[in-house]
């Protein structure tokens, strides 16, 4: 009896282990999204290249998805899942260990050079003062201080290891979902299987929430925490040069994935079917069929042409179904919009509203994702409570999605104006202007200072105007140390401030205006409400694909597989890249690498950023609604024809039965 109980409990053990694996992989995936900004700054990359790194997961996943899905059922599925979790752990570990191959993070700042050189700066030697303050100094002025930075550029291509680690994680993820779900469905009771799968999906939703919270915590910590004196750091988490401990979260998630792989090594290949009296493990139907075929064709191998003979006609039938094809087009556009939003949402909150990466990730984790989870649950509840048909489910999915789209349009009005930065967003006398021209950084007040236009070490004046560097502000001397450094006698400050006022500036960028906090509150309220309403239609939309879109039952598995494959290929891979490229087009000031070349962006034109980012999302989503409307029209027409045929068949059947009754009656009377 105890042996029988142990065998039956192994399915529950498998479900618990699979739930933890789902949680771990979802946590790691969302942590990668939350670390995009940190990786961009640490490796001095553009948003386009960071988008390519983010898309490497889908590349690795799609590379092996078809192979694993086809051959996985013929092998030991729990051990394949264990190997997948182990490979994901190795990928996350490789991504995190890249930090230790690079050395300490160095950012350009005048404070470090001043404190390291212990030089007092006379007010009358502005060129000497520039050379002592800036690493990229003028060789004529002080060639003995100018070091060759190219020797320290060995870490320029270290981002490739992050790319490979993320791709490895994508490869490892391939067996977890399809083989895990099929294992549960093969050995659970038919009535229990949906409940188990629902539990898996619910637990999976916790992963993204904890992933963003972990990202929030790590973004607070300095990248070289434990190795440098935090008091010597002159930048804050809101600074565009700040890099959090992005690597720490990957080490944590790698440990979780490693632990999640352990139980699967000890689970059997097959289990007794729930509800069966026999203790003998039952092979799943897929294995029985495979065994029968292999017994009959032991000396033959399956040729690709034979597989293609059955696959290509099925694919042609599927894509030839108008409703399915239109729904597939809508799914591609919506998935592109979703991936672009999810990847760069935290960065948008940083650049548009001046939030730190830590706070942006925290708010997404505790506000947006719970709203999505509740919406998905209520959407499924509505489907069950009112027993919605396919057409009603499609209409509900469209209605909720369109309401979320209208709320998204409201986000165009929740904005913060550009921060006033002299020479970039405003002129030196304070008038509004946005410029991409390097010459605009110079003015009569700083033209004789021999400043480098490549530097970014912002200082803030009492007037609220930010200057790119103390040199660009025309400052001559300083007082204080570290973050408390104050620069005095800044000639450019007097051009935008009343005479007789303070001509000093303090380290750091000026904050946004006070009314920006109100705009951010409105943005978050609209964002959370939009996430909730959009997710209400997620379950009905998924059921439209499962139940039909006018496809026969034998094509449903292929329909779901093609939908996943196409949306991830045409959405998951390109979307982060072209979203990043458009975001890069709004950059006002780039960092310059020590050996030349463009690095990470330091400041964006926030108005253009908002228009480009939200405009692309609304354009993709808006276009998808034309396809969704066409799907609803086709479904209505199909079901109207089906109902019409049923109505016509009923009178005909009644008439035929009436004739038969009359014939029988006459024959009885005759006898």
């Amino acid at each position: 009896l105890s042996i029988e109980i142990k065998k039956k409990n192994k399915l529950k053990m498998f479900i618990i282990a699979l739930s933890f694996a789902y949680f771990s992989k979802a946590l790691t995936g969302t942590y990668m999204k939350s670390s995009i900004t940190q990786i961009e700054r640490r490796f001095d990359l553009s948003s386009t290249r960071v988008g390519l790194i983010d898309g490497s997961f889908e590349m690795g996943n799609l590379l092996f998805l078809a192979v694993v899905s086809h051959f996985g059922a013929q092998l030991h599925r729990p051990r394949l899942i264990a190997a997948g979790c182990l490979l994901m752990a190795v990928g996350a570990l490789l991504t995190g260990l890249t930090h230790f191959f690079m050395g300490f993070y160095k950012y350009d700042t005048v404070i470090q050079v001043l404190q390291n050189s212990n030089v007092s700066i006379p007010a009358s030697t502005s060129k000497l003062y520039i050379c002592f303050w800036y690493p990229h100094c003028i060789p004529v002025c002080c060639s003995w201080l100018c070091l060759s930075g190219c020797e320290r550029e060995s870490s320029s291509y270290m981002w490739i290891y992050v790319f490979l680690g993320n791709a490895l994680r994508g490869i490892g993820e391939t067996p977890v979902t399809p083989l895990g779900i099929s294992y549960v469905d093969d050995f659970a009771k038919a009535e229990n299987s949906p409940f188990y799968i629902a539990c898996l999906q619910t637990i999976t939703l916790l992963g993204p929430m904890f992933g963003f919270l972990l990202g929030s915590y790590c973004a607070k910590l300095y990248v070289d925490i434990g190795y440098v004196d935090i008091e010597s750091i002159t930048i804050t988490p809101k600074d565009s040069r700040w890099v959090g401990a992005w690597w720490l979260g990957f080490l944590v998630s790698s440990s979780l994935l490693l632990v999640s792989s352990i139980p699967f090594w000890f689970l059997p290949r097959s289990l007794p079917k729930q509800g069966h009296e026999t203790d003998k493990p039952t092979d799943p139907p897929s294995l029985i069929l495979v065994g029968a075929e292999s017994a009959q064709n032991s000396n033959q191998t399956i040729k690709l042409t034979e597989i293609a003979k059955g696959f290509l006609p099925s694919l042609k039938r599927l894509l030839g179904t108008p409703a399915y094809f239109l729904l597939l087009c809508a799914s591609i556009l919506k998935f592109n919009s979703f991936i672009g939003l999810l990847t760069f949402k935290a960065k948008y909150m940083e650049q548009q509203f001046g939030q730190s990466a830590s706070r942006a990730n925290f708010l997404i984790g505790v506000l947006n994702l719970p709203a999505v989870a509740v919406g998905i649950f209520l959407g499924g509840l509505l489907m069950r409570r009112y027993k919605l048909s396919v057409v009603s489910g499609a209409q509900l999915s469209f209605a909720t999605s369109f309401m979320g789209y209208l709320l998204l349009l409201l986000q165009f009005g929740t904005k913060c104006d550009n921060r006033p930065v002299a020479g970039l967003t405003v002129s030196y006398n304070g008038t509004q202007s946005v410029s991409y021209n390097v010459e605009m950084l110079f003015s009569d007040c700083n033209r004789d200072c021999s400043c480098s236009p490549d530097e970014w070490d912002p200082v803030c004046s009492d007037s609220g105007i930010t200057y790119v560097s103390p040199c660009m502000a025309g400052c001559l001397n300083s007082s204080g140390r570290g973050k408390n450094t104050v620069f005095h006698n800044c000639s450019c400050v007097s051009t935008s401030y009343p005479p007789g006022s303070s001509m000093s500036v303090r380290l750091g960028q000026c904050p946004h205006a006070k009314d920006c906090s109100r705009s951010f509150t409105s943005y978050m309220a609209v964002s959370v409400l939009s996430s909730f309403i959009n997710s209400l239609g997620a379950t009905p939309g998924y059921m439209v694909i499962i139940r039909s879109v006018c496809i026969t039952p034998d094509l449903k598995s292929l329909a779901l597989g093609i939908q996943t494959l196409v949306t991830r290929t045409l959405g998951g891979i390109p979307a982060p890249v072209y979203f990043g490229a458009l975001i890069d087009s709004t950059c006002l000031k780039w960092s310059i690498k020590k050996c030349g070349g463009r690095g990470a962006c330091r400041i964006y034109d926030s108005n253009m950023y908002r228009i480009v980012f939200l405009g692309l999302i609304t354009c993709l989503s808006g276009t998808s609604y034309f396809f969704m409307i066409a799907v609803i029209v086709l479904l209505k027409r199909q079901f109207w024809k089906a109902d019409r045929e049923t109505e016509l068949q009923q009178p005909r059947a009644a008439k035929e039965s009436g004739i038969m009754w009359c014939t029988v009656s006459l024959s009885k009377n005759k006898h």
Side-chain angles (χ1 to χ4, degrees):
L1 182 62
S2 61
I3 295 175
E4 182 181 352
I5 293 173
K6 285 181 180 179
K7 288 182 177 180
K8 291 183 178 180
N9 284 339
K10 283 183 179 179
L11 179 61
K12 295 181 180 178
M13 291 171 59
F14 179 86
I15 294 170
I16 294 172
L18 190 64
S19 299
F20 186 67
Y22 270 39
F23 170 82
S24 301
K25 73 182 183 69
L27 182 147
T28 310
T30 49
Y31 180 78
M32 181 67 191
K33 298 286 186 186
S34 70
S35 302
I36 285 295
T37 303
Q38 314 301 314
I39 293 173
E40 177 183 334
R41 294 171 182 172
R42 181 64 183 96
F43 295 90
D44 220 6
L45 303 173
S46 64
S47 296
T48 307
R49 189 162 291 177
V50 168
L52 181 65
I53 292 174
D54 184 68
S56 64
F57 175 85
E58 301 291 347
M59 298 177 194
N61 191 271
L62 295 173
L63 193 62
F64 289 88
L65 183 62
V67 177
V68 171
S69 298
H70 181 72
F71 295 103
Q74 306 174 30
L75 304 174
H76 197 300
R77 284 180 285 183
R79 289 183 183 174
L80 271 180
I81 295 172
C85 291
L86 185 61
L87 193 58
M88 284 194 289
V90 172
L93 182 63
L94 176 61
T95 303
L97 287 180
T98 309
H99 163 75
F100 299 98
F101 304 152
M102 300 180 63
F104 294 152
Y105 172 57
K106 297 177 182 178
Y107 56 92
D108 292 341
T109 175
V110 301
I111 304 301
Q112 287 181 345
V113 179
L114 276 175
Q115 292 177 346
N116 293 336
S117 59
N118 294 321
V119 175
S120 60
I121 301 148
S124 59
T125 57
S126 61
K127 286 192 177 181
L128 185 62
Y129 142 94
I130 297 300
C131 292
F132 276 120
W133 279 19
Y134 290 91
H136 305 303
C137 51
I138 302 172
V140 176
C141 185
C142 52
S143 58
W144 57 278
L145 278 178
C146 294
L147 304 175
S148 174
C150 294
E151 295 178 0
R152 294 174 289 178
E153 288 290 314
S154 60
S155 62
S156 299
Y157 297 99
M158 283 291 180
W159 63 269
I160 294 176
Y161 289 103
V162 180
F163 180 94
L164 293 176
N166 205 36
L168 275 178
R169 196 169 55 81
I171 295 172
E173 196 263 351
T174 50
V176 179
T177 299
L179 300 187
I181 295 295
S182 65
Y183 192 89
V184 172
D185 194 53
D186 283 340
F187 302 119
K189 285 184 180 179
E191 59 269 24
N192 290 344
S193 182
F195 173 74
Y196 291 149
I197 294 173
C199 290
L200 287 171
Q201 300 297 336
T202 304
I203 293 173
T204 303
L205 291 173
L206 297 176
M209 184 174 70
F210 282 93
F212 274 107
L213 292 179
L214 180 61
S216 172
Y217 175 74
C218 292
K220 284 182 183 178
L221 308 175
Y222 186 65
V223 62
D224 293 318
I225 185 172
Y227 296 95
V228 298
D229 182 12
I230 301 300
E231 295 299 323
S232 65
I233 306 302
T234 60
I235 55 177
T236 64
K238 287 190 176 183
D239 196 291
S240 60
R241 294 164 294 173
W242 175 271
V243 177
W246 62 275
W247 52 273
L248 183 59
F250 285 107
L251 299 185
V252 173
S253 58
S254 176
S255 302
L256 291 174
L257 289 167
L258 180 62
V259 172
S260 70
S261 70
I262 295 175
F264 294 105
W265 295 109
F266 304 100
L267 289 167
R269 178 173 179 171
S270 59
L271 292 171
K273 181 78 173 178
Q274 278 189 342
H276 287 197
E277 297 298 330
T278 177
D279 293 340
K280 185 178 179 181
T282 305
D283 285 334
S286 57
L287 294 181
I288 294 173
L289 292 174
V290 170
E293 290 177 1
S294 62
Q296 296 173 2
N297 308 298
S298 57
N299 297 324
Q300 298 179 2
T301 57
I302 299 175
K303 297 180 181 179
L304 292 176
T305 53
E306 294 176 357
I307 298 175
K309 284 180 182 178
F311 174 75
L312 293 179
S314 298
L315 183 62
K316 186 177 179 181
R317 283 172 56 203
L318 187 63
L319 297 180
T321 305
Y324 177 79
F325 181 77
L326 292 172
L327 189 62
L328 190 63
C329 293
S331 299
I332 292 171
L333 292 171
K334 289 291 289 183
F335 196 69
N336 272 264
S337 175
F338 170 74
I339 289 295
L341 177 63
L342 182 63
T343 304
F344 294 105
K345 182 179 179 66
K347 183 172 182 176
Y348 177 78
M349 293 164 65
E350 294 174 53
Q351 298 298 328
Q352 186 68 33
F353 301 102
Q355 302 295 313
S356 66
S358 174
R359 180 170 169 78
N361 288 324
F362 177 79
L363 291 175
I364 293 173
V366 300
L367 295 179
N368 286 91
L369 293 179
V372 170
V374 172
I376 292 175
F377 175 76
L378 290 180
L381 203 63
L382 287 174
M383 287 284 292
R384 180 180 177 182
R385 172 68 178 82
Y386 295 101
K387 298 179 181 179
L388 300 180
S389 64
V390 174
V391 176
S392 299
Q395 290 173 333
L396 176 61
S397 179
F398 174 80
T400 55
S401 181
F402 190 71
M403 288 175 63
Y405 177 74
L406 295 178
L407 288 172
L408 182 63
L409 295 178
L410 293 179
Q411 294 182 12
F412 280 98
T414 56
K415 63 177 183 175
C416 290
D417 294 328
N418 282 312
R419 294 184 184 186
V421 180
L424 291 177
T425 60
V426 296
S427 63
Y428 277 85
N429 59 12
T431 58
Q432 294 290 328
S433 66
V434 177
S435 171
Y436 297 88
N437 189 357
V438 175
E439 291 299 321
M440 292 296 293
L441 289 173
F442 296 97
S443 180
D444 293 336
C445 61
N446 61 21
R447 203 171 294 278
D448 295 331
C449 296
S450 301
C451 303
S452 170
D454 300 335
E455 296 301 332
W456 177 260
D457 199 12
V459 290
C460 178
S461 66
D462 292 338
S463 63
I465 294 179
T466 299
Y467 298 87
V468 171
S469 67
C471 180
M472 288 294 186
C475 303
L476 297 177
N477 50 23
S478 66
S479 63
R481 293 180 64 84
K483 296 177 183 178
N484 299 319
T485 303
V486 178
F487 305 91
H488 307 288
N489 298 324
C490 305
S491 57
C492 291
V493 176
S494 61
T495 61
S496 59
Y497 214 59
S501 302
S502 172
M503 294 176 61
S504 300
V505 294
R506 62 185 182 276
L507 199 63
Q509 199 169 349
C510 293
H512 276 290
K514 291 183 179 179
D515 59 349
C516 186
S517 60
R518 291 194 293 270
S519 296
F520 179 64
T521 302
S522 302
Y523 167 80
M524 285 306 301
V526 172
S527 176
V528 171
L529 185 60
S530 175
S531 299
F532 171 74
I533 293 177
N534 260 313
S535 60
L536 276 175
T539 302
Y542 190 72
M543 294 306 295
V544 169
I545 301 176
I546 290 180
R547 284 186 188 172
S548 65
V549 262
C550 321
I551 56 179
T552 55
D554 61 308
L555 293 181
K556 285 187 179 181
S557 296
L558 181 62
L560 291 172
I562 292 297
Q563 194 251 1
T564 302
L565 180 68
V566 172
T567 53
R568 296 179 86 169
T569 303
L570 300 181
I573 296 174
V577 178
Y578 67 75
F579 264 86
L582 288 174
I583 289 171
D584 284 339
S585 68
T586 67
C587 183
L588 291 174
K589 182 75 172 66
W590 293 93
S591 67
I592 303 298
K593 297 181 179 180
K594 293 180 176 63
C595 293
R598 198 172 69 177
C601 185
R602 297 306 188 196
I603 183 172
Y604 294 87
D605 179 357
S606 60
N607 289 326
M608 281 300 299
Y609 192 120
R610 183 183 71 259
I611 293 171
V612 166
F613 183 66
L614 295 180
L616 185 56
I617 292 172
T618 53
C619 181
L620 290 170
S621 298
T623 307
S624 70
Y625 293 125
F626 292 103
F627 294 101
M628 292 176 69
I629 291 172
V631 169
I632 294 173
V633 171
L634 286 174
L635 288 176
K636 277 190 171 182
R637 184 177 298 176
Q638 180 198 356
F639 282 96
W640 179 82
K641 286 183 178 179
D643 293 340
R644 184 67 177 167
E645 289 176 1
T646 303
E647 290 176 0
L648 291 175
Q649 288 174 358
Q650 286 176 351
R652 190 181 304 161
K655 185 177 180 181
E656 290 176 356
S657 63
I659 293 172
M660 290 179 64
W661 180 83
C662 291
T663 305
V664 171
S665 300
L666 288 172
S667 110
K668 284 183 179 180
N669 293 332
K670 185 177 180 181
H671 288 291

